[in-house]
Amino acid sequence: QVQMVQSGAEVKKPGASVKVSCKASGYTFTDYYLHWVRQAPGQGFEWMGWVNPHTGGTNYAQKFRGRVTMTRDTSITTAFLDLSSLRSDDTAIYYCAKDSLPVAGSSANFDFWGQGTQVTVSS
Amino acid sequence: DIQMTQSPSTLSASVGDRVTITCRASQDSSGSLAWYQQKQGKAPKLLIYDASSLENGVPSRFSGSESGTEFTLTISSLQPDDFATYYCQQYRGYPYTFGQGTKLEIK
């Protein structure tokens, strides 16, 4: 069965960086885009971007360009989200989510999600 | 960006009721819309994709429809397990955007 297991909660100071991991299993990791989505406290969802696990190619939301890096390690079927220059409004739950269709016909709706990683930015 | 305006923000209903949640897109989304259910402290669950296609394993009481830039999620007969928050998401254009959510409460 498909599983997406994320790393644990993080507390960071403003200006620091955070790296969140997402270990995927139960499907062919390189066949599906891996998206990152965040949810601020009491708020809706914000799509941050995707990584193509096959090529390493990425597409980031304009809002996060320059501060975000999405990578993957195919040997351990794990994707990573790096977010730098953290601010208090980056406090959120960060989710990885698997695209529902293979890369060739990517749909950008998300059929499996990680459990979420709480990132708290506080001085 | 395509803005998704979801309504109502809160909906009170009883078991057995038929309920409808609406999402209006600021631009044509051409059927590229998904609906998710989220329960407190959990990740979202995909219910509907491509505006009206039911995800595998989702009960048939859930359905979706599209009319122009307006999308609708209908639950035909509410069950106790359905009380949760529902979100729409468009994937017609970057950045992918979500509605603000509808919290479905027990009346």
Side-chain angles (χ1 to χ4, degrees):
Chain A
Q1 70 284 18
V2 173
Q3 284 193 304
M4 322 282 289
V5 179
Q6 298 183 221
S7 50
E10 302 266 11
V11 179
K12 297 291 183 181
K13 294 200 182 300
S17 298
V18 68
K19 187 168 188 172
V20 179
S21 67
C22 173
K23 166 73 175 175
S25 61
Y27 71 98
T28 303
F29 178 66
T30 50
D31 281 356
Y32 298 83
Y33 285 166
L34 196 293
H35 300 259
W36 290 92
V37 178
R38 75 180 187 179
Q39 184 176 31
Q43 302 296 311
F45 293 95
E46 188 169 33
W47 177 80
M48 301 179 70
W50 55 249
V51 58
N52 179 337
H54 180 60
T55 64
T58 55
N59 190 334
Y60 304 141
Q62 177 70 40
K63 173 177 179 175
F64 299 102
R65 287 176 194 168
R67 286 207 302 143
V68 71
T69 304
M70 296 176 189
T71 57
R72 92 288 187 230
D73 184 335
T74 57
S75 68
I76 54 172
T77 63
T78 299
F80 301 93
L81 168 72
D82 266 283
L83 188 63
S84 63
S85 303
L86 288 168
R87 308 184 287 256
S88 58
D89 63 359
D90 290 318
T91 294
I93 299 174
Y94 288 76
Y95 292 98
C96 61
K98 171 187 165 291
D99 201 295
S100 65
L101 290 182
V103 167
S106 171
S107 67
N109 58 74
F110 317 129
D111 58 355
F112 289 94
W113 297 60
Q115 82 278 19
T117 296
Q118 174 69 53
V119 174
T120 302
V121 183
S122 174
S123 55
Chain B
D1 298 5
I2 299 176
Q3 308 300 321
M4 305 302 295
T5 303
Q6 192 171 337
S7 61
S9 55
T10 307
L11 180 56
S12 296
S14 302
V15 172
D17 284 354
R18 178 185 178 91
V19 299
T20 297
I21 299 169
T22 298
C23 222
R24 185 179 297 275
S26 62
Q27 303 171 34
D28 174 32
S29 293
S30 298
S32 298
L33 185 113
W35 289 97
Y36 300 88
Q37 176 194 69
Q38 186 183 34
K39 295 185 177 179
Q40 188 67 32
K42 301 292 187 182
K45 174 186 176 183
L46 178 64
L47 301 175
I48 301 284
Y49 62 94
D50 294 348
S52 59
S53 296
L54 193 66
E55 174 68 354
N56 288 341
V58 174
S60 59
R61 62 180 180 274
F62 291 91
S63 64
S65 64
E66 171 187 9
S67 177
T69 59
E70 186 169 289
F71 300 85
T72 300
L73 173 69
T74 299
I75 309 173
S76 60
S77 178
L78 272 175
Q79 299 302 302
D81 190 50
D82 299 338
F83 292 95
T85 303
Y86 293 83
Y87 295 91
C88 62
Q89 177 231 338
Q90 69 79 21
Y91 43 96
R92 176 68 176 88
Y94 291 119
Y96 306 136
T97 48
F98 292 78
Q100 283 300 105
T102 295
K103 185 174 183 180
L104 183 51
E105 299 178 330
I106 300 174
K107 184 185 286 185

